[in-house]
Amino acid sequence: MRMVDLIEKKRDGQELSTEEIKFIINGYTDGSIPDYQISALTMAIYFKGMTEKERADLTMAMVESGDQIDLSQIKGIKVDKHSTGGVGDTTTLVLGPLVAAVGVPIAKMSGRGLGHTGGTIDKLEAVKGFHVEIENEEFIDLVNTNKIAVIGQSGNLTPADKKLYALRDVTATVDSIPLIASSIMSKKIAAGADAIVLDVKTGAGAFMKTLDDSRDLAKAMVRIGNNVGRRTMAVISDMSQPLGYAIGNALEVKEAIDTLKGEGPEDLTELCLTLGSHMVYLAEKASSLEEARHKLENAIKDGSALEKFKVFLSSQGGDSSIVDNPSNMPQAKYTFELEAKEDGYVAEIVADEVGTAAMILGAGRATKESTIDLAVGLVLRKKIGDQVKKGDSLVTIYSNFEKVDEVKQKLYENIKITAEKIEAPILIHGEITE
């Protein structure tokens, strides 16, 4: 088998076989196939696409290129959730304890963030003492006992995907649906879940900016999951503005606590109930989505979801007193209000740019070497469609710098106010199942 023949085959729009895809991925992982040939192949895929079978074969070849997490010792159907990312996306912090409270085992493998704010692990480290460096045996015991635990990502999970992603990043082939879908799904499948709920974002703050592209990506991932034996579905949710109000690590943990108390932002609460209902249903803890949602709403009302969050934190060394006293988390030295300059209605909040403003404060990483300031960030006081009066606060800025002129300028440029009343954007754009 020669790599040049396989490049030519895909260039001409033909389907690669399972064996050919395995040959490519194994050769790239062990270094016997060079970058320049894989670059040619990814460009051919970018233009010619891949069939459903090719996508499933590519995904599994990447899964098999490294470690796979064995969760078979955990009782019940393990359901994982993946979000394609966004600004203020606090869903994992809420969903984990919420669905665990109704008996769904959550064995979560999470990473650190690069961008607007930290990843799930960074956010949880705003809780003093919390750690994810636990052995596999303890991880499994915690999930069996408490129904929830979070562990750091394995160093050798899908090494082929890591190499391929780095190459795509410098060869203008990142935004190829088959390559994105197989990249995401390979990590989820290698992490050992039985079922997967995908939160595919759409809008200005999402990786996929248009609804059509988001729908195509969702369909591709759902089909891959189902084709390789994982029950998979996707929710397409709005990211034309930040989700919830908080953008920043300790601030987002506090917002998660508020949401578990039933006092959180309406959009974050609704998205968590929607995603959570599908997780509960796929885990066969409810006979319908309506029953699943009812169970989740009860877990918030009776306090069991909040109690589960406390147990989760303390079981991994965290100070669970922050649930009742969020001020025990890191606090910023200064707060500033971004005041509206005119009367009107909020017409636009450019999510990406507002996220960048939070990163300037230190809430996120510009590079892998950057240090996150867990205390700082932004809390929106208005969302799209809200009426404002001149002098009203649009955003509260939490900073450890005395001067935030650059941040204020960035926010003013990306929060638009108009005289005409604007409707709030639709939160859930659709669901993809098979």
Side-chain angles (χ1 to χ4, degrees):
M1 207 177 291
R2 296 195 313 158
M3 186 61 190
V4 66
D5 297 327
L6 303 182
I7 295 168
E8 184 178 2
K9 187 175 180 181
K10 180 44 63 181
R11 182 201 69 191
D12 295 342
Q14 298 175 48
E15 183 180 73
L16 297 172
S17 70
T18 304
E19 292 71 27
E20 287 168 339
I21 288 173
K22 281 184 179 178
F23 170 80
I24 292 164
I25 293 302
N26 291 342
Y28 189 44
T29 305
D30 68 22
S32 59
I33 297 176
D35 277 355
Y36 60 82
Q37 287 190 310
I38 298 295
S39 298
L41 180 72
T42 57
M43 190 60 77
I45 291 170
Y46 181 89
F47 284 112
K48 296 295 184 178
M50 297 183 97
T51 65
E52 282 189 28
K53 182 178 179 298
E54 283 179 304
R55 294 175 186 191
D57 287 342
L58 176 59
T59 301
M60 290 312 296
M62 291 197 291
V63 169
E64 291 161 6
S65 71
D67 295 340
Q68 297 180 57
I69 308 302
D70 181 6
L71 301 180
S72 60
Q73 291 177 279
I74 296 173
K75 302 178 190 75
I77 298 171
K78 282 72 70 180
V79 185
D80 202 354
K81 188 274 302 182
H82 176 77
S83 167
T84 57
V87 182
D89 189 359
T90 314
T91 51
T92 297
L93 297 180
V94 179
L95 276 172
L98 179 57
V99 299
V102 301
V104 178
I106 300 297
K108 187 73 180 163
M109 180 174 288
S110 291
R112 300 186 182 280
L114 184 63
H116 310 118
T117 59
T120 298
I121 288 177
D122 295 305
K123 292 169 188 176
L124 286 167
E125 286 180 350
V127 181
K128 185 179 178 182
F130 186 89
H131 65 276
V132 294
E133 294 77 19
I134 52 180
E135 296 298 322
N136 275 356
E137 189 176 335
E138 183 186 357
F139 176 59
I140 287 165
D141 286 345
L142 283 174
V143 180
N144 277 328
T145 303
N146 301 329
K147 296 299 181 190
I148 181 171
V150 173
I151 195 171
Q153 286 179 344
S154 161
N156 197 39
L157 209 68
T158 61
D161 176 59
K162 290 185 180 72
K163 286 189 75 173
L164 195 58
Y165 189 90
L167 187 71
R168 286 165 52 213
D169 198 36
V170 294
T171 57
T173 54
V174 168
D175 49 348
S176 158
I177 296 280
L179 297 176
I180 297 167
S182 57
S183 172
I184 292 171
M185 293 305 292
S186 67
K187 291 189 280 282
K188 291 290 103 181
I189 291 160
D194 302 312
I196 302 164
V197 172
L198 300 162
D199 179 13
V200 180
K201 304 294 189 184
T202 191
F207 181 65
M208 292 298 188
K209 307 297 182 188
T210 71
L211 185 54
D212 284 347
D213 285 347
S214 299
R215 190 176 284 116
D216 287 346
L217 177 59
K219 286 178 179 176
M221 291 193 291
V222 168
R223 285 171 180 160
I224 286 172
N226 288 322
N227 283 339
V228 302
R230 304 300 197 277
R231 292 183 67 190
T232 307
M233 67 79 56
V235 171
I236 301 172
S237 68
D238 185 70
M239 191 45 74
S240 61
Q241 63 178 335
L243 182 65
Y245 297 117
I247 306 161
N249 299 279
L251 297 170
E252 289 185 43
V253 175
K254 181 182 183 303
E255 185 163 86
I257 293 166
D258 290 341
T259 305
L260 289 167
K261 288 179 178 176
E263 301 166 1
E266 189 177 331
D267 56 350
L268 176 59
T269 300
E270 178 56 33
L271 182 57
C272 287
L273 288 171
T274 300
L275 295 169
S277 296
H278 284 284
M279 294 173 77
V280 173
Y281 179 68
L282 289 180
E284 298 180 1
K285 294 294 183 182
S287 58
S288 66
L289 289 173
E290 292 75 19
E291 183 190 349
R293 186 183 178 104
H294 182 66
K295 285 187 172 188
L296 295 174
E297 289 172 340
N298 279 346
I300 293 173
K301 286 175 188 170
D302 67 18
S304 58
L306 194 66
E307 186 59 33
K308 184 63 72 174
F309 191 47
K310 289 182 182 179
V311 170
F312 161 57
L313 294 179
S314 59
S315 294
Q316 293 191 222
D319 176 12
S320 62
S321 74
I322 63 102
V323 173
D324 298 310
N325 297 292
S327 60
N328 290 345
M329 287 187 290
Q331 300 292 303
K333 290 181 187 175
Y334 309 103
T335 60
F336 305 90
E337 301 300 330
L338 186 81
E339 295 182 355
K341 295 179 178 180
E342 58 194 317
D343 294 349
Y345 297 87
V346 178
E348 186 180 15
I349 302 176
V350 184
D352 268 0
E353 295 298 332
V354 171
T356 300
M359 189 169 67
I360 292 168
L361 291 166
R365 292 184 180 88
T367 69
K368 287 181 182 177
E369 291 73 35
S370 302
T371 301
I372 281 183
D373 186 336
L374 296 168
V376 303
L378 308 169
V379 174
L380 303 179
R381 300 303 178 191
K382 302 288 182 182
K383 299 288 286 278
I384 293 175
D386 289 348
Q387 187 174 15
V388 296
K389 298 287 186 186
K390 183 178 179 180
D392 284 353
S393 177
L394 298 173
V395 184
T396 303
I397 301 167
Y398 292 80
S399 174
N400 281 323
F401 304 126
E402 282 191 72
K403 291 191 175 180
V404 291
D405 295 346
E406 182 185 0
V407 173
K408 283 190 170 185
Q409 182 63 30
K410 173 74 74 177
L411 292 171
Y412 275 129
E413 288 171 358
N414 291 286
I415 300 177
K416 305 290 178 12
I417 296 173
T418 60
E420 300 81 28
K421 183 167 175 52
I422 301 291
E423 292 300 318
I426 295 168
L427 178 65
I428 307 293
H429 291 276
E431 298 178 359
I432 307 293
T433 59
E434 279 190 354

